[in-house]
Amino acid sequence: MAEKTNMNNDIKKVLLSEEQLAERIAQMGEQISNDYEGKNVILVCILKGAVHFFSDLSRRITCHMEMDFMSISSYGNSSKTSGIVRISKDMDSSITDRHVLIVEDIMDSGLTLNHLTQLLRARQPASLKIACLLDKPERRECAISPDYVGFVIPNEFVVGYGLDCENYYRNIPYVGVMKEEVYQD
Ligand code: IMP
Ligand code: MG
């Protein structure tokens, strides 16, 4: 990892600008508001990567909703997830018979969300859907896709707007492609 100076120096190119993110998230909020009108949905933020997306998306939803937060970690190393999920912070609410919308930063292999949705389905929600800001469908290793997608992106490692590399760069306000030399040393 390079020295922690100006994070923008570690970015090869801006993939999604702040304006592009705001515009698309407003559209997603409108669609979700229409789909969940009258249903009092629980929006579940998957920490930490979804933090900015959750905050911005929730403020574009006009129907009544509750917020909850979960933190999960998947066993495996940093570059390859095993897909076996451990819940390190569970949500506070019971979701039995409730409409649940999981809000996640990115779907890559899909293994993490595949396992998480299995765990949550056992709690018998009335419905369970996934909203992902980013989707890398080329990388999928199981039969799962998000119900709401912000942007389909190519198979490149991205950071910013919540997404991290070794827990840094989450505070960059846009989504950028990392310079390979930064994460390969
Ligand atoms: P999956 O189980 O392979 O779908 O992995 C999903 C998780 O991997 C996400 O929640 C992210 O934490 C992480 N991830 C996947 N691709 C990227 C990326 O390009 N940048 C940062 N994190 C990523
Ligand atoms: Mg992550």
Side-chain angles (χ1 to χ4, degrees):
M1 170 90 29
E3 226 178 282
K4 307 293 178 307
T5 51
N6 186 334
M7 295 176 300
N8 296 292
N9 296 336
D10 299 342
I11 304 301
K12 186 163 71 178
K13 68 166 189 251
V14 176
L15 189 66
L16 302 165
S17 67
E18 292 182 66
E19 293 73 24
Q20 285 173 296
L21 290 165
E23 188 185 340
R24 179 70 190 122
I25 291 168
Q27 292 168 348
M28 293 177 84
E30 198 178 323
Q31 191 188 352
I32 290 167
S33 302
N34 290 333
D35 292 353
Y36 285 95
E37 187 57 55
K39 288 188 172 160
N40 196 8
V41 59
I42 303 182
L43 222 63
V44 181
C45 176
I46 307 300
L47 297 168
K48 304 170 185 149
V51 61
H52 301 305
F53 176 44
F54 181 84
S55 174
D56 288 343
L57 179 67
S58 62
R59 286 177 293 162
R60 293 296 186 161
I61 295 177
T62 51
C63 54
H64 280 92
M65 50 156 272
E66 291 177 43
M67 292 182 177
D68 216 324
F69 299 85
M70 271 186 111
S71 187
I72 58 177
S73 46
S74 64
Y75 295 99
N77 58 41
S78 54
S79 61
K80 180 78 190 79
T81 171
S82 64
I84 305 296
V85 171
R86 188 175 64 86
I87 296 177
S88 42
K89 184 230 172 289
D90 206 341
M91 59 182 112
D92 296 325
S93 329
S94 160
I95 57 167
T96 305
D97 299 327
R98 298 292 310 272
H99 295 284
V100 178
L101 181 60
I102 298 171
V103 179
E104 174 62 309
D105 53 359
I106 186 166
M107 191 180 283
D108 188 36
S109 71
L111 294 170
T112 305
L113 279 167
N114 196 43
H115 192 241
L116 180 66
T117 49
Q118 280 173 26
L119 292 178
L120 296 184
R121 261 192 220 104
R123 301 180 187 181
Q124 302 184 306
S127 69
L128 182 63
K129 287 189 179 180
I130 301 167
C132 268
L133 178 65
L134 307 176
D135 187 10
K136 285 184 191 170
E138 272 177 58
R139 299 255 307 165
R140 204 71 90 250
E141 290 177 31
C142 54
I144 185 170
S145 52
D147 300 277
Y148 303 95
V149 179
F151 301 88
V152 172
I153 63 165
N155 181 14
E156 288 183 296
F157 193 76
V158 294
V159 293
Y161 199 69
L163 288 117
D164 73 303
C165 179
E166 296 179 9
N167 255 320
Y168 288 96
Y169 305 99
R170 295 192 197 275
N171 55 318
I172 289 179
Y174 55 87
V175 174
V177 179
M178 288 278 283
K179 288 181 183 163
E180 282 88 0
E181 61 265 32
V182 178
Y183 63 90
Q184 278 167 0
D185 332 316

